Amino acid sequence: MAGNKFRNVNKDLIISVNDAEISIALLEDKQLVELNKEKRNVKFSVGDIYLGKVKKIMPGLNAAFVNVGFEKDAFLHYLDLGAQFRTLHRYYQLATQNKARSTAMSKFKAEPDIDKDGKIADVLTTGQTVIVQITKEPISTKGPRLASEVSIAGRNLVLMPFSDKVSVSSKIENSDERNRLKLLIQSIKPKNYGVIVRTVAEGKKVAALDAELRELINRWETALSGVHRDVKSPRLLLGEMNRTTTILRDILSTDFNSIIVDDEVIAGEVKSYIREIAPEKEKIVKVYKEQFPIFDHFGVSRQIKGLFGRTISFKGGSYLIIEHTEALHVVDVNSGNRSKSGSDQESNALSVNLEAAREIARQLRLRDMGGIIVIDFIDMQSNENRQTLHDRMKELMSSDRAKHNILPLSKFGLMQITRQRVRPEMTIVTDEKCPVCRGEGKTAPAILITDDIERTLTSIIEKVKTRRFILRTHPFVAAYLKEGLFSRINRTNKQYGVSIKVQGIESYHFLQYEFFDRQGNEIDLT
Protein backbone atom coordinates (compact mmCIF):
# COMPACT_ATOMS: atom_id res chain seq x y z
CA MET A 1 0.00 0.00 0.00
CA ALA A 2 2.89 2.31 0.66
CA GLY A 3 3.78 2.26 -2.99
CA ASN A 4 0.34 3.56 -3.92
CA LYS A 5 0.29 6.19 -1.20
CA PHE A 6 3.42 7.96 -2.28
CA ARG A 7 3.22 7.53 -6.04
CA ASN A 8 3.40 10.65 -8.16
CA VAL A 9 0.04 12.00 -9.27
CA ASN A 10 -0.34 14.37 -12.23
CA LYS A 11 -2.56 17.28 -11.18
CA ASP A 12 -4.22 19.66 -13.60
CA LEU A 13 -6.66 22.49 -12.90
CA ILE A 14 -9.11 23.34 -15.69
CA ILE A 15 -11.01 26.63 -15.28
CA SER A 16 -14.02 27.42 -17.47
CA VAL A 17 -15.36 30.99 -17.41
CA ASN A 18 -18.67 32.33 -18.68
CA ASP A 19 -20.88 35.30 -17.85
CA ALA A 20 -22.78 33.48 -15.09
CA GLU A 21 -20.16 31.41 -13.28
CA ILE A 22 -16.62 30.11 -13.03
CA SER A 23 -16.29 26.31 -13.04
CA ILE A 24 -13.10 24.80 -11.62
CA ALA A 25 -12.21 21.15 -12.25
CA LEU A 26 -9.31 19.40 -10.51
CA LEU A 27 -7.99 16.39 -12.43
CA GLU A 28 -5.65 13.80 -10.97
CA ASP A 29 -4.15 11.55 -13.65
CA LYS A 30 -6.86 12.93 -15.99
CA GLN A 31 -9.59 11.76 -13.60
CA LEU A 32 -12.03 14.37 -12.23
CA VAL A 33 -11.77 14.47 -8.41
CA GLU A 34 -13.09 17.93 -7.49
CA LEU A 35 -15.55 20.27 -9.16
CA ASN A 36 -16.38 23.77 -7.90
CA LYS A 37 -18.80 26.25 -9.40
CA GLU A 38 -18.68 29.90 -8.32
CA LYS A 39 -21.48 32.25 -9.31
CA ARG A 40 -19.79 35.43 -10.54
CA ASN A 41 -22.31 37.67 -8.79
CA VAL A 42 -22.22 35.85 -5.43
CA LYS A 43 -19.50 36.39 -2.84
CA PHE A 44 -17.78 33.32 -1.42
CA SER A 45 -18.47 33.47 2.32
CA VAL A 46 -16.54 30.80 4.26
CA GLY A 47 -13.61 32.58 5.95
CA ASP A 48 -15.23 36.02 5.77
CA ILE A 49 -15.03 38.00 9.03
CA TYR A 50 -18.07 40.09 10.00
CA LEU A 51 -19.24 42.54 12.58
CA GLY A 52 -22.39 40.73 13.69
CA LYS A 53 -25.18 41.72 16.03
CA VAL A 54 -26.45 39.26 18.65
CA LYS A 55 -30.17 38.76 17.99
CA LYS A 56 -31.12 36.08 20.50
CA ILE A 57 -29.48 34.17 23.35
CA MET A 58 -30.43 30.46 23.56
CA PRO A 59 -29.41 29.22 27.05
CA GLY A 60 -30.76 25.73 26.37
CA LEU A 61 -28.40 25.36 23.40
CA ASN A 62 -25.64 27.40 25.10
CA ALA A 63 -25.51 29.37 21.86
CA ALA A 64 -26.66 32.60 20.24
CA PHE A 65 -28.19 33.59 16.93
CA VAL A 66 -26.26 36.41 15.29
CA ASN A 67 -27.30 38.65 12.40
CA VAL A 68 -24.48 38.92 9.86
CA GLY A 69 -26.63 40.10 6.97
CA PHE A 70 -27.76 36.72 5.60
CA GLU A 71 -31.40 35.81 5.06
CA LYS A 72 -31.26 33.59 8.15
CA ASP A 73 -29.47 34.45 11.39
CA ALA A 74 -26.18 32.62 11.93
CA PHE A 75 -25.46 30.17 14.75
CA LEU A 76 -22.68 30.81 17.29
CA HIS A 77 -22.06 28.16 19.97
CA TYR A 78 -20.29 28.95 23.23
CA LEU A 79 -17.49 26.49 22.40
CA ASP A 80 -16.78 28.46 19.21
CA LEU A 81 -16.23 31.77 21.00
CA GLY A 82 -12.58 30.94 21.64
CA ALA A 83 -10.75 31.25 24.95
CA GLN A 84 -9.57 34.78 24.11
CA PHE A 85 -13.06 36.14 23.30
CA ARG A 86 -12.92 38.87 25.98
CA THR A 87 -9.52 40.06 24.73
CA LEU A 88 -10.76 40.23 21.13
CA HIS A 89 -13.91 42.10 22.16
CA ARG A 90 -12.01 44.57 24.34
CA TYR A 91 -9.60 45.37 21.53
CA TYR A 92 -12.54 45.85 19.15
CA GLN A 93 -14.06 48.35 21.58
CA LEU A 94 -10.78 50.29 21.58
CA ALA A 95 -10.73 50.22 17.79
CA THR A 96 -14.22 51.77 17.64
CA GLN A 97 -12.88 54.66 19.72
CA ASN A 98 -9.87 55.01 17.39
CA LYS A 99 -7.51 54.00 20.19
CA ALA A 100 -6.37 50.71 18.75
CA ARG A 101 -3.70 52.36 16.57
CA SER A 102 -2.06 53.83 19.67
CA THR A 103 -2.30 50.47 21.47
CA ALA A 104 -0.45 47.95 19.30
CA MET A 105 -1.72 44.36 19.57
CA SER A 106 1.74 43.17 20.51
CA LYS A 107 1.59 45.43 23.60
CA PHE A 108 -2.05 44.88 24.47
CA LYS A 109 -2.71 43.28 27.85
CA ALA A 110 -4.83 40.19 27.44
CA GLU A 111 -8.09 39.75 29.33
CA PRO A 112 -8.67 36.51 31.32
CA ASP A 113 -9.75 33.53 29.20
CA ILE A 114 -13.41 32.62 29.30
CA ASP A 115 -14.39 29.48 31.26
CA LYS A 116 -14.44 26.51 28.91
CA ASP A 117 -17.51 25.17 30.77
CA GLY A 118 -19.20 28.58 30.99
CA LYS A 119 -22.59 29.80 29.83
CA ILE A 120 -23.29 31.91 26.74
CA ALA A 121 -25.39 34.39 28.75
CA ASP A 122 -22.36 35.20 30.94
CA VAL A 123 -20.42 36.42 27.88
CA LEU A 124 -22.90 37.77 25.32
CA THR A 125 -25.95 40.02 25.54
CA THR A 126 -28.72 40.70 23.04
CA GLY A 127 -27.85 43.63 20.77
CA GLN A 128 -24.10 43.27 21.34
CA THR A 129 -21.76 43.67 18.35
CA VAL A 130 -19.28 40.81 18.00
CA ILE A 131 -16.47 39.92 15.61
CA VAL A 132 -17.30 36.56 14.02
CA GLN A 133 -16.04 34.42 11.17
CA ILE A 134 -18.14 32.19 8.91
CA THR A 135 -17.01 28.58 9.24
CA LYS A 136 -19.87 26.96 7.34
CA GLU A 137 -22.04 28.39 4.55
CA PRO A 138 -25.84 28.40 4.75
CA ILE A 139 -27.01 24.91 3.77
CA SER A 140 -30.63 23.96 3.09
CA THR A 141 -32.78 25.61 5.79
CA LYS A 142 -29.89 26.39 8.12
CA GLY A 143 -28.10 29.73 8.43
CA PRO A 144 -24.30 30.07 8.51
CA ARG A 145 -22.19 28.61 11.33
CA LEU A 146 -19.90 31.09 13.11
CA ALA A 147 -16.83 31.23 15.33
CA SER A 148 -15.29 34.14 17.22
CA GLU A 149 -11.88 32.48 17.33
CA VAL A 150 -10.97 34.04 14.00
CA SER A 151 -8.18 32.97 11.67
CA ILE A 152 -6.74 34.46 8.49
CA ALA A 153 -5.38 31.91 6.04
CA GLY A 154 -2.39 32.47 3.80
CA ARG A 155 -0.49 30.17 1.49
CA ASN A 156 1.93 28.81 4.12
CA LEU A 157 0.57 30.17 7.40
CA VAL A 158 -2.73 30.70 9.23
CA LEU A 159 -2.76 33.74 11.52
CA MET A 160 -4.80 33.57 14.75
CA PRO A 161 -5.09 36.95 16.55
CA PHE A 162 -4.83 36.84 20.37
CA SER A 163 -3.54 33.30 20.49
CA ASP A 164 0.15 32.94 21.30
CA LYS A 165 0.37 29.29 20.25
CA VAL A 166 2.47 28.08 17.33
CA SER A 167 1.54 24.71 15.85
CA VAL A 168 2.82 22.83 12.81
CA SER A 169 0.75 20.66 10.46
CA SER A 170 0.86 17.02 11.49
CA LYS A 171 1.30 16.10 7.81
CA ILE A 172 4.90 17.37 8.02
CA GLU A 173 6.37 14.12 9.30
CA ASN A 174 10.06 15.06 9.57
CA SER A 175 10.61 15.98 13.22
CA ASP A 176 13.67 18.17 12.48
CA GLU A 177 11.67 20.19 9.93
CA ARG A 178 8.77 20.54 12.35
CA ASN A 179 11.08 21.87 15.05
CA ARG A 180 12.79 24.22 12.59
CA LEU A 181 9.50 25.73 11.48
CA LYS A 182 8.16 26.07 15.01
CA LEU A 183 11.31 27.81 16.32
CA LEU A 184 11.45 30.00 13.21
CA ILE A 185 7.86 31.25 13.60
CA GLN A 186 8.27 31.74 17.35
CA SER A 187 11.27 33.97 16.67
CA ILE A 188 9.52 36.26 14.14
CA LYS A 189 5.90 36.48 15.28
CA PRO A 190 4.76 39.39 17.48
CA LYS A 191 3.11 38.82 20.86
CA ASN A 192 -0.67 38.18 20.90
CA TYR A 193 -0.56 36.37 17.59
CA GLY A 194 -0.81 32.62 17.12
CA VAL A 195 0.24 30.84 13.94
CA ILE A 196 -0.55 27.49 12.35
CA VAL A 197 2.14 26.38 9.91
CA ARG A 198 0.55 24.67 6.90
CA THR A 199 1.89 21.59 5.15
CA VAL A 200 3.10 23.51 2.09
CA ALA A 201 5.48 25.53 4.30
CA GLU A 202 7.80 22.53 4.50
CA GLY A 203 11.26 23.60 3.33
CA LYS A 204 10.36 27.29 3.01
CA LYS A 205 12.97 29.88 3.97
CA VAL A 206 12.55 32.47 6.70
CA ALA A 207 12.27 35.40 4.28
CA ALA A 208 9.21 33.95 2.53
CA LEU A 209 7.47 33.04 5.78
CA ASP A 210 8.29 36.39 7.38
CA ALA A 211 6.89 38.30 4.38
CA GLU A 212 3.66 36.30 4.44
CA LEU A 213 3.28 36.71 8.20
CA ARG A 214 3.67 40.48 7.93
CA GLU A 215 1.11 40.60 5.10
CA LEU A 216 -1.46 38.63 7.13
CA ILE A 217 -0.90 40.83 10.20
CA ASN A 218 -1.28 43.94 8.05
CA ARG A 219 -4.60 42.69 6.61
CA TRP A 220 -5.99 42.10 10.09
CA GLU A 221 -4.75 45.33 11.71
CA THR A 222 -5.82 47.46 8.73
CA ALA A 223 -9.34 46.03 8.94
CA LEU A 224 -9.60 46.67 12.68
CA SER A 225 -8.04 50.12 12.63
CA GLY A 226 -10.77 51.36 10.29
CA VAL A 227 -13.83 50.25 12.31
CA HIS A 228 -14.15 53.65 14.01
CA ARG A 229 -15.17 55.09 10.63
CA ASP A 230 -18.07 52.63 10.28
CA VAL A 231 -19.29 50.97 13.48
CA LYS A 232 -22.62 49.74 12.07
CA SER A 233 -23.41 46.06 12.20
CA PRO A 234 -23.94 43.68 10.56
CA ARG A 235 -21.31 44.31 7.91
CA LEU A 236 -18.31 42.61 6.34
CA LEU A 237 -15.08 43.42 8.19
CA LEU A 238 -12.54 41.33 6.27
CA GLY A 239 -13.40 39.34 3.17
CA GLU A 240 -11.86 36.10 1.98
CA MET A 241 -10.46 35.85 -1.53
CA ASN A 242 -12.72 34.69 -4.36
CA ARG A 243 -13.18 30.94 -4.66
CA THR A 244 -10.79 30.59 -7.59
CA THR A 245 -7.93 32.09 -5.60
CA THR A 246 -8.95 30.25 -2.43
CA ILE A 247 -8.87 26.87 -4.16
CA LEU A 248 -5.49 27.68 -5.65
CA ARG A 249 -4.21 28.66 -2.23
CA ASP A 250 -5.37 25.38 -0.72
CA ILE A 251 -4.48 22.88 -3.44
CA LEU A 252 -1.53 24.32 -5.37
CA SER A 253 1.53 22.21 -4.70
CA THR A 254 4.95 21.66 -6.19
CA ASP A 255 3.72 18.66 -8.19
CA PHE A 256 0.99 20.63 -9.98
CA ASN A 257 1.40 20.20 -13.73
CA SER A 258 -0.81 22.86 -15.29
CA ILE A 259 -3.56 25.41 -14.75
CA ILE A 260 -5.49 26.03 -17.95
CA VAL A 261 -8.01 28.89 -18.17
CA ASP A 262 -10.23 29.88 -21.08
CA ASP A 263 -10.43 33.55 -20.08
CA GLU A 264 -7.45 35.90 -20.35
CA VAL A 265 -8.57 38.19 -17.50
CA ILE A 266 -9.03 35.34 -15.01
CA ALA A 267 -5.80 33.74 -16.23
CA GLY A 268 -4.01 37.02 -15.50
CA GLU A 269 -5.44 37.09 -11.97
CA VAL A 270 -4.38 33.50 -11.37
CA LYS A 271 -0.91 34.14 -12.75
CA SER A 272 -0.54 37.26 -10.61
CA TYR A 273 -1.49 35.30 -7.48
CA ILE A 274 0.92 32.47 -8.28
CA ARG A 275 3.67 34.99 -8.99
CA GLU A 276 3.35 36.17 -5.39
CA ILE A 277 3.26 32.80 -3.66
CA ALA A 278 5.29 30.52 -5.93
CA PRO A 279 7.02 32.44 -8.74
CA GLU A 280 8.71 29.29 -10.04
CA LYS A 281 5.25 27.90 -10.91
CA GLU A 282 4.08 30.88 -12.99
CA LYS A 283 4.76 29.08 -16.26
CA ILE A 284 2.16 26.38 -15.51
CA VAL A 285 -0.68 28.89 -16.10
CA LYS A 286 -1.82 28.72 -19.72
CA VAL A 287 -4.62 30.43 -21.62
CA TYR A 288 -6.89 28.12 -23.62
CA LYS A 289 -7.67 29.86 -26.93
CA GLU A 290 -9.41 27.15 -28.92
CA GLN A 291 -13.06 27.64 -29.92
CA PHE A 292 -13.97 24.12 -28.75
CA PRO A 293 -15.31 24.31 -25.12
CA ILE A 294 -12.49 23.73 -22.64
CA PHE A 295 -14.38 21.15 -20.55
CA ASP A 296 -15.16 19.13 -23.68
CA HIS A 297 -11.55 19.35 -24.88
CA PHE A 298 -10.18 17.90 -21.63
CA GLY A 299 -12.93 15.31 -21.19
CA VAL A 300 -14.46 17.01 -18.14
CA SER A 301 -18.01 17.25 -19.57
CA ARG A 302 -18.14 13.52 -20.25
CA GLN A 303 -16.90 12.71 -16.74
CA ILE A 304 -19.47 15.03 -15.15
CA LYS A 305 -22.26 13.24 -17.03
CA GLY A 306 -20.99 9.87 -15.82
CA LEU A 307 -20.13 10.73 -12.22
CA PHE A 308 -23.08 12.68 -10.81
CA GLY A 309 -25.91 10.24 -11.40
CA ARG A 310 -27.53 7.81 -8.97
CA THR A 311 -25.66 4.84 -10.45
CA ILE A 312 -21.87 5.00 -10.86
CA SER A 313 -20.05 2.28 -12.80
CA PHE A 314 -16.45 1.37 -12.10
CA LYS A 315 -13.90 -1.29 -13.02
CA GLY A 316 -15.05 -4.72 -14.18
CA GLY A 317 -18.77 -4.03 -14.53
CA SER A 318 -19.32 -3.31 -10.82
CA TYR A 319 -21.26 -0.25 -9.78
CA LEU A 320 -22.34 1.98 -6.87
CA ILE A 321 -25.82 3.24 -6.06
CA ILE A 322 -25.75 6.54 -4.15
CA GLU A 323 -28.85 7.74 -2.29
CA HIS A 324 -29.13 11.04 -0.41
CA THR A 325 -31.40 11.86 2.52
CA GLU A 326 -31.63 14.89 4.81
CA ALA A 327 -29.71 13.09 7.58
CA LEU A 328 -27.20 10.89 5.75
CA HIS A 329 -25.90 9.45 2.49
CA VAL A 330 -26.12 5.74 1.65
CA VAL A 331 -23.78 3.99 -0.79
CA ASP A 332 -24.53 0.44 -1.95
CA VAL A 333 -21.73 -1.56 -3.58
CA ASN A 334 -22.78 -4.06 -6.27
CA SER A 335 -20.55 -6.57 -8.02
CA GLY A 336 -22.59 -6.42 -11.24
CA ASN A 337 -21.73 -9.15 -13.71
CA ARG A 338 -18.69 -10.39 -11.83
CA SER A 339 -18.81 -14.00 -10.71
CA LYS A 340 -20.13 -14.48 -7.18
CA SER A 341 -19.96 -18.27 -7.03
CA GLY A 342 -17.33 -20.84 -6.29
CA SER A 343 -14.43 -20.99 -3.85
CA ASP A 344 -13.15 -17.62 -5.02
CA GLN A 345 -16.13 -15.69 -3.65
CA GLU A 346 -14.18 -14.09 -0.78
CA SER A 347 -11.30 -12.83 -2.95
CA ASN A 348 -13.80 -11.60 -5.53
CA ALA A 349 -15.65 -9.64 -2.83
CA LEU A 350 -12.39 -8.12 -1.59
CA SER A 351 -11.36 -7.13 -5.12
CA VAL A 352 -14.72 -5.41 -5.82
CA ASN A 353 -14.71 -3.69 -2.42
CA LEU A 354 -11.20 -2.29 -2.87
CA GLU A 355 -12.11 -0.88 -6.29
CA ALA A 356 -15.34 0.50 -4.83
CA ALA A 357 -13.41 2.19 -2.02
CA ARG A 358 -11.34 4.10 -4.58
CA GLU A 359 -14.46 5.33 -6.41
CA ILE A 360 -16.24 6.20 -3.14
CA ALA A 361 -13.31 8.30 -1.92
CA ARG A 362 -13.39 10.12 -5.24
CA GLN A 363 -17.16 10.66 -5.06
CA LEU A 364 -16.98 12.13 -1.54
CA ARG A 365 -14.52 14.78 -2.73
CA LEU A 366 -16.24 15.35 -6.05
CA ARG A 367 -19.73 15.90 -4.61
CA ASP A 368 -18.40 17.35 -1.32
CA MET A 369 -20.68 14.96 0.55
CA GLY A 370 -20.81 15.73 4.27
CA GLY A 371 -22.34 14.46 7.49
CA ILE A 372 -22.81 10.71 7.88
CA ILE A 373 -22.02 8.38 4.98
CA VAL A 374 -23.02 4.70 5.34
CA ILE A 375 -21.46 2.26 2.87
CA ASP A 376 -22.86 -1.23 2.33
CA PHE A 377 -19.88 -3.20 1.04
CA ILE A 378 -20.14 -6.77 -0.29
CA ASP A 379 -20.02 -9.17 2.68
CA MET A 380 -16.62 -10.64 3.56
CA GLN A 381 -16.00 -13.34 6.18
CA SER A 382 -12.28 -12.81 6.73
CA ASN A 383 -11.33 -10.35 9.48
CA GLU A 384 -8.03 -9.81 7.66
CA ASN A 385 -9.87 -8.75 4.50
CA ARG A 386 -12.12 -6.42 6.50
CA GLN A 387 -9.06 -4.76 8.01
CA THR A 388 -7.43 -4.50 4.56
CA LEU A 389 -10.50 -2.67 3.27
CA HIS A 390 -10.55 -0.30 6.26
CA ASP A 391 -6.85 0.49 5.80
CA ARG A 392 -7.33 1.09 2.06
CA MET A 393 -10.20 3.52 2.66
CA LYS A 394 -8.10 5.50 5.16
CA GLU A 395 -5.22 5.59 2.69
CA LEU A 396 -7.44 6.73 -0.21
CA MET A 397 -8.98 9.51 1.88
CA SER A 398 -5.67 10.76 3.27
CA SER A 399 -5.53 13.41 0.51
CA ASP A 400 -9.06 14.67 1.33
CA ARG A 401 -8.75 18.16 2.86
CA ALA A 402 -12.10 17.88 4.67
CA LYS A 403 -11.96 16.56 8.23
CA HIS A 404 -13.24 13.00 8.35
CA ASN A 405 -13.42 9.90 10.51
CA ILE A 406 -13.65 6.32 9.19
CA LEU A 407 -14.98 3.50 11.38
CA PRO A 408 -14.12 -0.18 10.79
CA LEU A 409 -16.69 -2.43 9.13
CA SER A 410 -19.54 -3.60 11.33
CA LYS A 411 -20.54 -7.26 11.52
CA PHE A 412 -23.15 -6.47 8.87
CA GLY A 413 -20.48 -5.25 6.42
CA LEU A 414 -21.36 -1.56 6.87
CA MET A 415 -18.72 1.18 7.05
CA GLN A 416 -19.58 4.53 8.60
CA ILE A 417 -17.75 7.73 7.64
CA THR A 418 -18.28 11.20 9.02
CA ARG A 419 -17.03 14.02 6.81
CA GLN A 420 -17.08 17.75 7.44
CA ARG A 421 -18.85 19.90 4.87
CA VAL A 422 -18.60 23.70 4.85
CA ARG A 423 -20.43 24.37 1.57
CA PRO A 424 -23.61 22.97 0.02
CA GLU A 425 -23.15 19.56 -1.60
CA MET A 426 -22.36 19.68 -5.31
CA THR A 427 -25.48 18.39 -7.07
CA ILE A 428 -25.66 18.14 -10.85
CA VAL A 429 -28.69 16.67 -12.62
CA THR A 430 -27.42 14.35 -15.35
CA ASP A 431 -30.80 13.16 -16.61
CA GLU A 432 -31.78 15.07 -19.74
CA LYS A 433 -35.34 16.23 -20.40
CA CYS A 434 -36.44 15.91 -23.99
CA PRO A 435 -35.76 19.30 -25.63
CA VAL A 436 -38.83 19.04 -27.87
CA CYS A 437 -41.60 17.52 -25.72
CA ARG A 438 -40.43 19.02 -22.39
CA GLY A 439 -40.98 15.66 -20.73
CA GLU A 440 -44.46 15.01 -22.14
CA GLY A 441 -43.35 11.94 -24.08
CA LYS A 442 -43.84 12.95 -27.73
CA THR A 443 -41.32 14.53 -30.09
CA ALA A 444 -40.99 15.46 -33.71
CA PRO A 445 -39.00 12.89 -35.74
CA ALA A 446 -35.32 13.19 -34.83
CA ILE A 447 -34.29 12.65 -38.45
CA LEU A 448 -35.81 16.04 -39.31
CA ILE A 449 -33.21 17.91 -37.26
CA THR A 450 -31.19 18.44 -40.44
CA ASP A 451 -34.16 20.24 -42.03
CA ASP A 452 -34.46 22.41 -38.92
CA ILE A 453 -30.75 23.26 -39.03
CA GLU A 454 -31.07 24.17 -42.71
CA ARG A 455 -34.04 26.48 -42.05
CA THR A 456 -32.09 28.22 -39.29
CA LEU A 457 -29.11 28.58 -41.62
CA THR A 458 -31.17 30.28 -44.32
CA SER A 459 -32.54 32.74 -41.75
CA ILE A 460 -29.01 33.54 -40.58
CA ILE A 461 -27.72 34.07 -44.12
CA GLU A 462 -30.47 36.62 -44.73
CA LYS A 463 -29.60 38.65 -41.61
CA VAL A 464 -25.82 38.49 -41.20
CA LYS A 465 -22.99 39.27 -43.55
CA THR A 466 -20.58 36.48 -42.68
CA ARG A 467 -20.54 33.22 -44.59
CA ARG A 468 -18.15 31.40 -42.25
CA PHE A 469 -19.89 29.57 -39.39
CA ILE A 470 -19.34 27.09 -36.59
CA LEU A 471 -22.21 24.67 -35.96
CA ARG A 472 -22.17 23.08 -32.50
CA THR A 473 -24.42 20.10 -31.89
CA HIS A 474 -24.59 16.74 -30.15
CA PRO A 475 -21.67 14.42 -31.18
CA PHE A 476 -24.08 11.88 -32.75
CA VAL A 477 -25.66 14.56 -34.92
CA ALA A 478 -22.23 15.97 -35.78
CA ALA A 479 -21.06 12.53 -36.89
CA TYR A 480 -24.20 12.12 -39.03
CA LEU A 481 -23.64 15.49 -40.72
CA LYS A 482 -19.97 14.74 -41.48
CA GLU A 483 -20.46 11.14 -42.61
CA GLY A 484 -18.86 10.15 -45.91
CA LEU A 485 -16.69 11.89 -48.50
CA PHE A 486 -19.65 13.83 -49.90
CA SER A 487 -21.16 14.56 -46.51
CA ARG A 488 -24.37 16.42 -45.82
CA ILE A 489 -22.46 19.39 -44.44
CA ASN A 490 -20.30 19.57 -47.60
CA ARG A 491 -23.41 19.58 -49.76
CA THR A 492 -24.91 22.34 -47.58
CA ASN A 493 -21.73 24.42 -47.89
CA LYS A 494 -21.82 24.14 -51.66
CA GLN A 495 -25.56 24.80 -51.94
CA TYR A 496 -25.54 27.99 -49.86
CA GLY A 497 -22.04 29.24 -50.61
CA VAL A 498 -20.96 29.04 -46.98
CA SER A 499 -18.23 27.43 -44.92
CA ILE A 500 -19.59 25.57 -41.90
CA LYS A 501 -17.32 23.82 -39.41
CA VAL A 502 -19.20 21.21 -37.35
CA GLN A 503 -18.23 20.56 -33.71
CA GLY A 504 -19.69 17.78 -31.55
CA ILE A 505 -20.27 19.05 -28.00
CA GLU A 506 -20.68 16.39 -25.31
CA SER A 507 -22.63 18.64 -22.96
CA TYR A 508 -25.39 19.31 -25.56
CA HIS A 509 -28.61 17.29 -25.49
CA PHE A 510 -29.51 15.25 -28.56
CA LEU A 511 -31.47 17.82 -30.59
CA GLN A 512 -29.63 20.93 -29.42
CA TYR A 513 -27.61 22.97 -31.89
CA GLU A 514 -26.25 26.51 -32.09
CA PHE A 515 -24.52 28.58 -34.76
CA PHE A 516 -21.43 30.71 -34.01
CA ASP A 517 -19.21 32.95 -36.09
CA ARG A 518 -15.54 32.00 -36.48
CA GLN A 519 -14.62 34.24 -33.51
CA GLY A 520 -16.79 32.08 -31.24
CA ASN A 521 -19.68 34.56 -30.85
CA GLU A 522 -23.11 32.93 -30.82
CA ILE A 523 -25.47 34.01 -33.62
CA ASP A 524 -28.81 34.60 -31.92
CA LEU A 525 -31.81 35.46 -34.11
CA THR A 526 -34.24 36.08 -31.22
Side-chain angles (χ1 to χ4, degrees), residues 35 37 308 324 329 366-368 421 424-430:
L35 180 66
K37 291 179 178 287
F308 279 91
H324 307 280
H329 309 275
L366 185 61
R367 303 186 189 212
D368 199 14
R421 185 183 68 193
E425 179 188 343
M426 175 69 69
T427 302
I428 295 176
V429 177
T430 57

Side-chain angles (χ1 to χ4, degrees), residues 153-377:
R155 165 67 174 158
N156 301 289
L157 308 172
V158 178
L159 182 72
M160 303 187 70
F162 298 111
S163 168
D164 264 325
K165 295 180 181 178
V166 174
S167 58
V168 180
S169 167
S170 59
K171 291 185 179 180
I172 299 178
E173 298 177 352
N174 186 297
S175 58
D176 290 338
E177 177 63 5
R178 290 173 59 85
N179 290 333
R180 180 188 78 88
L181 289 168
K182 188 168 186 176
L183 292 173
L184 189 159
I185 296 300
Q186 285 175 334
S187 68
I188 62 175
K189 80 168 188 67
K191 185 182 177 183
N192 282 334
Y193 281 110
V195 176
I196 299 173
V197 182
R198 307 183 75 177
T199 308
V200 292
E202 186 172 9
K204 292 293 192 301
K205 295 182 180 179
V206 62
L209 298 179
D210 182 60
E212 182 172 311
L213 180 60
R214 290 176 185 275
E215 192 272 332
L216 293 175
I217 291 173
N218 181 63
R219 286 185 66 201
W220 167 250
E221 295 190 347
T222 299
L224 267 188
S225 65
V227 297
H228 70 280
R229 293 189 292 270
D230 185 2
V231 296
K232 70 177 181 181
S233 59
R235 73 172 179 86
L236 181 67
L237 180 66
L238 183 61
E240 254 283 14
M241 297 174 285
N242 61 61
R243 183 172 295 186
T244 308
T245 308
T246 302
I247 292 173
L248 284 175
R249 181 191 68 195
D250 291 342
I251 68 177
L252 186 65
S253 59
T254 54
D255 60 349
F256 232 78
N257 293 81
S258 63
I259 300 174
I260 305 172
V261 192
D262 65 358
D263 181 272
E264 291 194 12
V265 174
I266 299 298
E269 293 177 3
V270 172
K271 187 171 288 191
S272 176
Y273 173 68
I274 292 181
R275 192 180 298 122
E276 293 178 9
I277 61 157
E280 72 280 3
K281 304 295 289 184
E282 182 182 347
K283 63 181 181 297
I284 70 174
V285 181
K286 301 169 185 174
V287 180
Y288 179 80
K289 296 183 178 180
E290 301 297 324
Q291 294 174 340
F292 204 66
I294 187 171
F295 271 16
D296 282 37
H297 180 81
F298 289 99
V300 176
S301 295
R302 177 179 288 272
Q303 292 191 58
I304 290 173
K305 291 284 187 182
L307 292 172
F308 279 91
R310 177 176 177 267
T311 303
I312 309 298
S313 299
F314 60 96
K315 188 175 180 180
S318 304
Y319 61 95
L320 308 175
I321 296 178
I322 302 178
E323 298 282 5
H324 307 280
T325 72
E326 186 68 25
L328 51 81
H329 309 275
V330 179
V331 182
D332 184 31
V333 179
N334 294 273
S335 60
N337 55 17
R338 287 196 184 188
S339 172
K340 298 181 182 179
S341 60
S343 59
D344 203 37
Q345 182 177 353
E346 181 78 6
S347 61
N348 180 69
L350 176 62
S351 175
V352 173
N353 285 339
L354 292 177
E355 288 294 338
R358 180 180 300 279
E359 185 57 42
I360 291 167
R362 178 188 183 190
Q363 287 287 331
L364 297 186
R365 288 177 65 187
L366 185 61
R367 303 186 189 212
D368 199 14
M369 292 162 60
I372 300 173
I373 299 103
V374 178
I375 306 167
D376 183 8
F377 283 104

Side-chain angles (χ1 to χ4, degrees), residues 434-436 443-458 471-482 488-489 492 496 500 502-505 508-515:
C434 170
V436 178
T443 73
I447 196 67
L448 298 182
I449 187 177
T450 55
D451 296 341
D452 194 31
I453 290 173
E454 190 169 329
R455 281 193 295 270
T456 303
L457 175 62
T458 57
L471 171 61
R472 292 179 178 172
T473 186
H474 189 277
F476 290 176
V477 177
Y480 176 73
L481 293 174
K482 295 188 289 186
R488 291 166 180 80
I489 201 65
T492 300
Y496 291 97
I500 301 176
V502 180
Q503 294 179 343
I505 306 299
Y508 279 21
H509 56 66
F510 186 65
L511 299 182
Q512 180 181 358
Y513 67 89
E514 292 167 329
F515 279 96

